[in-house]
Amino acid sequence: MTTAHMTSPRTDVAIGPAEVTDGADLWRIARESGDLDVNSPYSYLLWCRDFAATSAVARDDAGRAVGFVTGYLRPEAPGTLFVWQVAVDGSHRGTGVAGALLDALAARVAAEHGPVRLEATVTPGNVPSDRLFRSYARRHGATVTREVLFPTTSFPDATDAGVHEPEVLYRIGPAAA
């Protein structure tokens, strides 16, 4: 598959679809973030293979992955892009990479599938993600609604990991053209 890579106007990274060879870097970035539920390395490899069209990777000048957003189109709502994870390497945090990734991915998916709404879940204590999604909505003239999707009681009680916060569903859209 041939793809055009977009250079973000706010950052010094190139943004393009995920590739299988990105899987190990995505796992590393997620693990080092300290904030994400980290999946197995195998799952990131599969994600880069099976959901490359609905995921994006930011690469530095050397071609090294420094950020990513993974997502998928919901089967029951094909006009809805569910954002699974967003993470940026510590060396690029605070530079606009996460917002540029969301913008680029939403634009690419919309170009291929028509207008999309975004959905994501955010725990109440995750202030950076709350800011990221609200900022995305402001940039695109979209509204944000929030409701608890999975309450704390939906998660298994892992005594050594503590209680999981509820996952609040953010619905963003419709975006202005």
Side-chain angles (χ1 to χ4, degrees):
M1 163 167 82
T2 321
T3 58
H5 290 279
M6 175 187 144
T7 301
S8 166
R10 297 186 301 272
T11 67
D12 62 346
V13 299
I15 298 174
E19 299 172 5
V20 172
T21 55
D22 294 321
D25 281 335
L26 271 58
W27 176 79
R28 174 190 54 80
I29 293 166
R31 185 189 69 207
E32 291 174 357
S33 76
D35 295 322
L36 293 178
D37 290 336
V38 181
N39 301 294
S40 73
Y42 177 69
S43 67
Y44 289 94
L45 291 168
L46 281 175
W47 200 279
C48 289
R49 184 192 76 163
D50 294 342
F51 297 103
T54 54
S55 297
V57 175
R59 294 177 181 81
D60 63 14
D61 290 338
R64 184 177 86 99
V66 295
F68 70 89
V69 57
T70 54
Y72 61 89
L73 290 172
R74 290 194 52 222
E76 297 82 18
T80 300
L81 175 64
F82 185 85
V83 175
W84 179 258
Q85 287 188 319
V86 179
V88 176
D89 186 85
S91 66
H92 282 71
R93 285 195 191 135
T95 64
V97 171
L101 280 161
L102 273 180
D103 290 348
L105 178 59
R108 181 165 32 97
V109 171
E112 189 169 322
H113 298 280
V116 294
R117 291 178 176 268
L118 252 60
E119 285 187 353
T121 60
V122 177
T123 57
N126 190 338
V127 174
S129 287
D130 175 76
R131 288 181 182 150
L132 173 67
F133 290 112
R134 288 179 185 275
S135 176
Y136 171 87
R138 277 192 304 276
R139 283 193 309 278
H140 295 278
T143 60
V144 179
T145 61
R146 301 180 318 150
E147 66 183 76
V148 173
L149 180 63
F150 299 119
T152 298
T153 55
S154 295
F155 296 93
D157 185 13
T159 56
D160 54 329
V163 176
H164 195 293
E165 287 188 272
E167 291 284 348
V168 177
L169 177 66
Y170 283 51
R171 287 190 175 113
I172 304 168

